[in-house]
């Protein structure tokens, strides 16, 4: 048994460059679960499965489990059920499923492993028995170079219900990896392989650095027999358990209590800003402590060196606003989506901080809502805003909108980028409860907007977004 730190050192000690390939299985290895199950359950929920198909697939599952038969029969019937579907429609559904179901299944520590290989310049390849619609969104999110997978026959953009050859399962995955290595001209003796299933023992035997990652019973026994390292990753922190529910409820209560206290002081002193500063100083730290969330912040001095400013933050989690407020502390307000004005968890804070609400579907209204924010900046109050406009399912960035950049340019204040690395690990975008953990945050140096012109706004956005990509390790 090895730990993550050990494997990261092995990767660091390996030769750099694309002649070293890291082959990763998908289901159970990169993600905590099975993509095919998520796809089928989604089809069931949308009543997109016939009774006959349900019977055929259920029978194949029973046969596979009872007789330990290969996955070919199950894969064949699953693909047969997609006969006549357009490939483009399947991929559109696949990306939606990824955002809603698959993304939170990715092991956070698997991201760290993949990033370590990328940092070393290694070629990254997913080798899986899953189909392209199951694997491509994960491949793109984790920035793998190539995909070896089970491939349906597609004619004129439509699935025929047949497979190109057989599924990439067991020995056939091993053969596909060997063929890939020969095609790109690499020596498998210097390559890495990661899988969780006993059926992948032949694949792992092909590489010089095999790792039984999150191994099932069969692979655990075999790995122990042949001396392969075993690595178990921490499960993604998703959903609700008793402890997280209690702590999250208490954290929300502490924020509301702090807001009430700040509001009372504001009324007594006749200063809303005094009430807001009291709230922003005490509420975030208390809430984060109760929730068990610690911050590892780099560049804190940049949060204070050029105020007022427009503070940008990438948006993964409901916890982001608390994290950002904990760093900025005082003399801040925000721009937020209109829906939050009616959210009981946010409405009181919105009142205290005099938040500017915008309707994302109405550009004219959004521009009008920015005017009070410009006035706030001119009065010395900084503004925090998420340029993506919505929470993202993974640390990968969404498209940056222009509003925050126009705001900074018109107010004549700098932009300060706040990069939140892993808030989704402690509180995923759709979760209502937070889990304990450490969130890494980087506060970048202020970026002057002096001399900016509207005609070059896209170029400015690209430059700022590039800083986020570099800081997050995606560039």
């Amino acid at each position: 048994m090895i730990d993550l730190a050990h494997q990261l050192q092995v990767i660091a000690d390996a030769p750099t460059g694309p002649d070293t390939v890291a082959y990763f299985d998908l289901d159970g290895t990169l993600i905590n679960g099975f993509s095919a199950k998520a796809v089928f359950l989604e089809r069931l929920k949308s009543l997109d499965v016939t009774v006959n198909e349900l019977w055929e697939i259920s029978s194949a599952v029973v046969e596979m489990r009872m007789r330990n038969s290969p996955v070919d029969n199950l894969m064949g019937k699953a693909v047969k059920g997609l006969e006549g579907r357009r490939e483009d429609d399947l991929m559109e559904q696949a990306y939606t499923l990824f955002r809603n179901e698959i993304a939170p299944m990715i092991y956070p520590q698997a991201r760290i492993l993949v990033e370590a290989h990328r940092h070393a310049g290694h070629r990254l390849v997913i080798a899986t028995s899953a189909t392209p619609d199951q694997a491509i969104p994960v491949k793109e999110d984790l920035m793998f170079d190539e995909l070896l997978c089970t491939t349906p026959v597609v004619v004129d953009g439509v699935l025929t219900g047949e497979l190109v050859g057989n599924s990439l399962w067991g020995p056939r995955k091993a053969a596909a990896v060997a063929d890939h290595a020969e095609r790109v001209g690499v020596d498998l003796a210097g390559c890495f392989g990661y899988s969780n299933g006993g059926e992948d023992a032949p694949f792992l035997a092909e590489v010089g650095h095999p790792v039984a990652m999150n191994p099932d019973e069969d692979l655990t026994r075999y790995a122990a027999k042949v001396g392969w390292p075993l690595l178990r990753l921490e499960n993604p922190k998703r959903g609700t358990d008793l402890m997280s529910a209690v702590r999250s409820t208490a954290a929300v209560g502490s924020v509301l209590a702090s807001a009430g206290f700040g509001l009372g002081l504001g009324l007594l002193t006749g200063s809303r800003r005094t009430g807001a500063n009291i709230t922003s100083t005490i509420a975030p730290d208390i809430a984060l402590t109760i929730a068990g969330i610690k911050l590892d912040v780099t560049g804190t001095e940049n949060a204070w060196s050029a105020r007022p400013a427009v503070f940008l933050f990438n948006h993964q989690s409901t916890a982001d606003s608390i994290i950002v407020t904990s760093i900025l502390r005082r003399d801040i307000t925000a721009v937020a989506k209109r829906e939050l004005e009616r959210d009981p968890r946010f409405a009181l804070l919105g009142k205290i901080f005099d938040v500017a609400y915008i309707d994302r579907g109405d550009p004219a209204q959004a521009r009008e809502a920015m005017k009070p924010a410009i006035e706030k900046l001119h009065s010395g109050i900084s503004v925090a805003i998420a340029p993506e406009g919505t929470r993202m399912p993974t640390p990968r960035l969404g498209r940056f909108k222009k509003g925050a950049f126009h705001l900074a340019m018109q107010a004549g204040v700098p932009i300060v980028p706040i990069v939140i690395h892993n808030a989704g690990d402690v509180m995923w975008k759709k979760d209502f409860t937070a889990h304990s953990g450490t969130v890494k945050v980087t506060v970048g140096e202020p970026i002057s907007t002096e001399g900016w012109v509207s005609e070059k706004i896209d170029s400015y956005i690209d430059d700022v977004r590039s800083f986020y990509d570099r800081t997050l390790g995606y560039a």
Side-chain angles (χ1 to χ4, degrees):
M1 185 69 70
I2 61 172
D3 60 16
L4 180 64
H6 175 91
Q7 187 60 23
L8 292 175
Q9 187 59 55
V10 173
I11 295 169
D13 292 340
T16 59
D19 286 342
T20 299
V21 183
Y23 296 95
F24 283 81
D25 174 49
L26 173 63
D27 296 308
T29 304
L30 288 172
I31 67 173
N32 182 25
F34 296 91
S35 55
K37 179 180 177 182
V39 170
F40 193 67
L41 288 176
E42 185 63 25
R43 290 186 61 201
L44 279 176
K45 284 193 291 185
S46 59
L47 302 180
D48 187 31
V49 179
T50 66
V51 174
N52 182 63
E53 184 184 358
L54 180 60
W55 170 257
E56 290 286 331
I57 290 179
S58 299
S59 299
V61 170
V62 170
E63 182 179 343
M64 189 174 69
R65 290 183 175 176
M66 297 296 290
R67 300 181 183 179
N68 200 29
S69 61
V71 77
D72 295 344
N73 185 38
L74 175 60
M75 288 295 299
K77 291 181 176 179
V79 171
K80 182 66 177 175
L82 299 175
E83 181 180 0
R85 302 297 181 89
R86 292 200 60 81
E87 185 179 31
D88 289 347
D89 292 340
L90 282 179
M91 285 309 306
E92 183 179 347
Q93 294 167 11
Y95 285 114
T96 299
L97 183 68
F98 175 79
R99 290 191 296 269
N100 294 333
E101 301 293 339
I102 305 295
M105 296 165 62
I106 297 175
Y107 286 100
Q109 291 182 326
R111 288 187 179 278
I112 297 173
L113 277 176
V114 171
E115 173 56 29
H117 281 292
R118 185 185 302 110
H119 182 73
H122 297 165
R123 194 189 308 258
L124 288 160
V125 179
I126 292 179
T128 175
S129 61
T131 53
D133 58 296
Q134 296 165 230
I136 286 176
V138 179
K139 169 186 176 289
E140 293 178 351
D141 186 75
L142 293 175
M143 297 180 65
F144 273 77
D145 300 300
E146 297 176 64
L147 171 65
L148 309 176
C149 66
T150 298
T151 307
V153 176
V154 179
V155 178
D156 295 330
V158 178
L159 274 68
T160 67
E162 304 295 328
L163 289 174
V164 177
N166 292 307
S167 64
L168 216 66
W169 191 88
R172 286 190 294 274
K173 183 187 290 186
V177 166
D179 289 345
H180 174 269
E182 183 177 359
R183 185 171 71 251
V184 300
V186 301
D187 183 0
L188 283 174
C191 295
F192 291 77
Y194 300 86
S195 182
N196 74 303
E199 75 281 357
D200 276 343
F203 147 52
L204 293 177
E206 290 283 341
V207 300
H209 300 285
V211 179
M213 195 156 83
N214 314 314
D216 62 15
E217 292 182 3
D218 289 342
L219 186 56
T220 298
R221 286 193 296 269
Y222 189 82
K225 178 181 176 181
V226 299
W228 291 343
L230 282 77
L231 174 61
R232 296 192 183 277
L233 304 182
E234 296 176 1
N235 288 336
K237 296 175 180 178
R238 300 290 182 262
T240 301
D241 56 64
L242 180 60
M243 180 59 71
S244 65
V246 170
R247 296 178 81 163
S248 298
T249 301
V252 172
S254 74
V255 170
L256 294 177
S258 299
F261 179 66
L263 181 61
L265 279 179
L267 291 172
L268 285 173
T269 61
S271 169
R272 174 186 283 183
R273 179 48 42 191
T274 297
N277 282 341
I278 291 294
T279 301
S280 60
T281 300
I282 63 175
D285 292 348
I286 294 174
L288 291 172
T289 299
I290 292 174
I293 298 174
K294 298 178 181 179
L295 301 183
D296 177 9
V297 183
T298 301
T300 304
E301 66 280 3
N302 294 326
W304 299 96
S305 61
R307 291 202 181 193
V310 172
F311 289 94
L312 305 186
F313 63 95
N314 53 315
H315 202 12
Q316 305 172 52
S317 168
T318 305
D320 292 338
S321 57
I322 298 294
I323 291 168
V324 170
T325 306
S326 177
I327 294 168
L328 301 184
R329 312 298 290 178
R330 66 175 184 267
D331 295 329
I332 54 172
T333 187
V335 175
K337 61 184 180 180
R338 174 67 63 186
E339 296 90 323
L340 287 176
E341 191 174 15
R342 298 183 297 273
D343 187 330
R345 297 169 299 174
F346 189 85
L348 179 58
L349 293 172
K351 290 285 187 183
I352 294 173
F353 288 98
D354 198 18
V355 167
Y357 294 103
I358 61 173
D359 184 347
R360 293 180 297 185
D362 186 346
Q365 187 278 333
R367 287 192 293 271
E368 190 67 23
M370 288 294 186
K371 291 181 179 178
I374 294 174
E375 293 172 3
K376 290 287 185 183
L377 287 162
H378 285 161
S379 71
I381 304 300
S382 294
V383 175
I385 186 170
E388 295 158 299
T390 188
R391 284 167 288 179
M392 304 306 295
T394 75
R396 291 296 303 277
L397 298 174
R399 182 177 66 87
F400 278 18
K401 298 180 180 180
K402 298 179 181 181
F405 297 86
H406 279 296
L407 173 62
M409 184 171 62
Q410 291 175 33
V413 300
I415 285 172
V416 180
I418 299 177
V419 185
I420 304 174
H421 294 250
N422 61 320
D425 292 349
V426 297
M427 192 175 189
W428 189 57
K429 59 172 286 189
K430 289 193 172 183
D431 285 350
F432 291 99
T433 56
H435 300 266
S436 61
T438 299
V439 176
K440 182 180 177 182
V441 184
T442 302
V443 184
E445 294 182 0
I447 300 168
S448 174
T449 62
E450 185 177 353
W452 278 20
V453 292
S454 297
E455 293 77 13
K456 295 183 179 180
I457 196 73
D458 289 334
S459 175
Y460 307 142
I461 292 172
D462 288 342
D463 289 343
V464 174
R465 196 178 188 281
S466 293
F467 171 79
Y468 279 82
D469 279 331
R470 292 193 304 271
T471 307
L472 291 168
Y474 293 130

